[in-house]
Amino acid sequence: MTPLRTSVDYRRLWVGNTISWVGQAMTSLAVSLQVYDITRSTFAVGLVGLFTLVPLVVFGLYGGAVADTVDRRKVGLYSAVGLCALSIALAGGALLDYQHVWFLYAVVALQAVCAALNAPARASMIPRLLPPEQLPAANALNSLTMTTGITLGPMLGGLLVGLWGYQSAYLIDAVAFTAALYAMWRLPAMRPGAEGADGADGADEGDEGEGGGKRQRASVMDGLRFLATRPNLRMTFFTDLCAMVLAHPRSLFPAVAVVWYGGDAKTAGLLAAAPAVGAMLGGVFSGWQGRVHRHGLMIVVSVAAWGTAIAVFGLTRNLWLGVFFLAVAGCSDMISMVFRNTMLQAATPDAMRGRLQGVFIVVVAGGPRLGDFLAGSVGQAVSPRVAIVGGGVACVLAVALLTARWRSFLRYDARSPEA
């Protein structure tokens, strides 16, 4: 809790992000439910992930370059305004009973653009607000932000949709964004270069002018070239992709809630919230992680545990047993995320921070969307059970193959970090 006590700006940003995460998770579930309600197709629900993935990949990389070029506060503020406006658009469509799935696909694609610009800017602000020794604690707090939102959001979203319709979830999401907007508004200017990492203090916004586009594209390539020479950093991304692409059954929850458990929107919300409940418990009891130095080994074990828990969930037909294994998976993912974040911060120079955060956002946010599409497609073509069990097994096998290829990852020691 030290970062919350020592930095007013960080505390305000953390609270605002936590509230807005709840709203975003509500909207994510509500969109999936609405698409399934319109189409009755898990493939159509999986397409939500695909329409989100492409903008995240393109603008995630570009957003990292922007975060190393212009005032990060303004990038975060303007993109948060865009996200708020898009939630209002979803609410308007629901109020007008505009039941067209392509409208939903278009809105989630635009939301992905805004999120891809917002996240690298916001993440690269944190080392400017806190001393280096507080970054591990900030990572644990940030994981609690995500898990709190993903825990409460789906449960509230399923409840609100069941009681008052989709528009209620979308409207509350728009209101929740005001907390993040206020936090961004109160921050000081966050121009890159203030710490001397990128040249002169406080790069002027005029740097975006003539030739600025070329510098931004070059900085994207610089970040990718840097990553190509850092095998341990690459492994943090590869292992996360194994979990999020191969064993991510979220798009199947609406169908699973109805077909397996005879439930409704509230049941789907419970399933979506279960991994976040496990992640939250893992975050609350995360003090032991500060005493672990073999971060690579812990990432491999955690991702394998995620895949195993997902596979077992696919074999269950008892709702509460299924919720338990989803919670185990969420706890494993939280442990992996804390160690991956810490490795990324410790082994990346400040001059590359925004660009590597852009790659991080592409993997962390884009991977689950690709996983949604894959799970939805397999679930539609074969069955949800095959998609979930097969995905969990494939995750474990893929991590084992990656570890056999890059064994040095298991020897990574936080006391002497090497990228």
Side-chain angles (χ1 to χ4, degrees):
M1 304 298 288
T2 301
L4 297 178
R5 292 194 298 266
T6 59
S7 173
V8 174
D9 287 329
Y10 176 78
R11 180 168 66 245
R12 193 182 294 120
L13 187 66
W14 184 82
V15 171
N17 289 339
T18 301
I19 295 172
S20 65
W21 262 98
V22 174
Q24 291 176 72
M26 288 171 51
T27 290
S28 179
L29 179 71
V31 168
S32 295
L33 291 171
Q34 191 172 5
V35 170
Y36 188 71
D37 189 34
I38 295 171
T39 65
R40 292 294 168 180
S41 167
T42 60
F43 177 77
V45 177
L47 279 177
V48 174
L50 187 62
F51 275 94
T52 307
L53 174 65
V54 175
L56 276 173
V57 170
V58 175
F59 287 91
L61 295 174
Y62 183 77
V66 172
D68 282 341
T69 306
V70 303
D71 189 339
R72 292 162 178 168
R73 170 186 170 272
K74 290 186 177 181
V75 175
L77 182 63
Y78 296 155
S79 55
V81 169
L83 287 167
C84 181
L86 290 167
S87 293
I88 294 173
L90 286 171
L95 286 168
L96 296 173
D97 198 28
Y98 191 70
Q99 297 292 319
H100 294 276
V101 71
W102 287 102
F103 169 72
L104 300 175
Y105 290 154
V107 172
V108 298
L110 291 173
Q111 285 179 324
V113 172
C114 293
L117 294 173
N118 181 274
R122 187 179 65 242
S124 58
M125 292 177 190
I126 294 174
R128 299 275 291 273
L129 300 175
L130 298 170
E133 63 271 14
Q134 292 184 18
L135 290 179
N139 285 331
L141 287 168
N142 292 339
S143 72
L144 285 176
T145 291
M146 297 176 63
T147 54
T148 298
I150 299 173
T151 301
L152 297 179
M155 290 191 293
L156 291 175
L159 180 63
L160 290 169
V161 169
L163 293 175
W164 297 301
Y166 301 108
Q167 65 272 11
S168 61
Y170 300 143
L171 285 171
I172 291 177
D173 181 24
V175 173
F177 266 113
T178 60
L181 291 173
Y182 175 75
M184 290 283 184
W185 181 265
R186 293 294 303 274
L187 286 173
M190 289 281 177
R191 296 183 180 90
E195 295 178 334
D198 297 315
D201 182 27
D204 188 83
E205 289 184 40
D207 290 345
E208 296 178 84
E210 185 178 356
K214 292 183 179 178
R215 283 196 296 274
Q216 290 166 0
R217 285 194 295 270
S219 66
V220 169
M221 295 308 300
D222 288 344
L224 295 177
R225 281 192 289 266
F226 172 80
L227 186 60
T229 63
R230 302 299 191 270
N232 285 332
L233 289 182
R234 290 201 309 272
M235 273 292 287
T236 65
F237 296 131
F238 291 159
T239 52
D240 187 55
L241 286 172
C242 290
M244 295 298 101
V245 175
L246 300 175
H248 195 259
R250 181 178 58 186
S251 64
L252 298 171
F253 287 160
V256 165
V258 174
V259 177
W260 289 6
Y261 304 122
D264 52 15
K266 294 185 285 294
T267 308
L270 180 62
L271 294 174
V277 171
M280 179 180 291
L281 291 174
V284 169
F285 297 101
S286 62
W288 61 272
Q289 295 173 15
R291 298 187 293 273
V292 175
H293 303 296
R294 301 288 294 278
H295 291 185
L297 176 61
M298 286 304 303
I299 291 170
V300 169
V301 171
S302 300
V303 173
W306 162 278
T308 302
I310 292 297
V312 176
F313 162 71
L315 297 173
T316 64
R317 289 300 179 270
N318 178 277
L319 176 60
W320 295 109
L321 189 59
V323 166
F324 169 77
F325 282 109
L326 287 174
V328 171
C331 182
S332 301
D333 184 53
M334 181 271 168
I335 295 171
S336 168
M337 181 171 61
V338 168
F339 287 122
R340 285 185 288 108
N341 283 343
T342 303
M343 283 183 65
L344 185 63
Q345 291 170 341
T348 304
D350 182 73
M352 287 287 176
R353 187 171 289 143
R355 281 154 283 189
L356 267 292
Q357 284 295 335
V359 178
F360 180 80
I361 295 305
V362 168
V363 172
V364 171
R369 271 68 178 190
L370 186 57
D372 287 341
F373 176 71
L374 179 62
S377 300
V378 176
Q380 182 74 19
V382 187
S383 71
R385 179 179 182 178
V386 170
I388 295 172
V389 176
V393 173
C395 170
V396 176
L397 292 176
V399 169
L401 291 173
L402 286 171
T403 304
R405 172 62 180 83
W406 286 287
R407 296 181 182 179
S408 62
F409 187 65
L410 298 177
R411 298 191 295 271
Y412 178 91
D413 193 320
R415 291 167 294 190
S416 55
E418 295 181 1

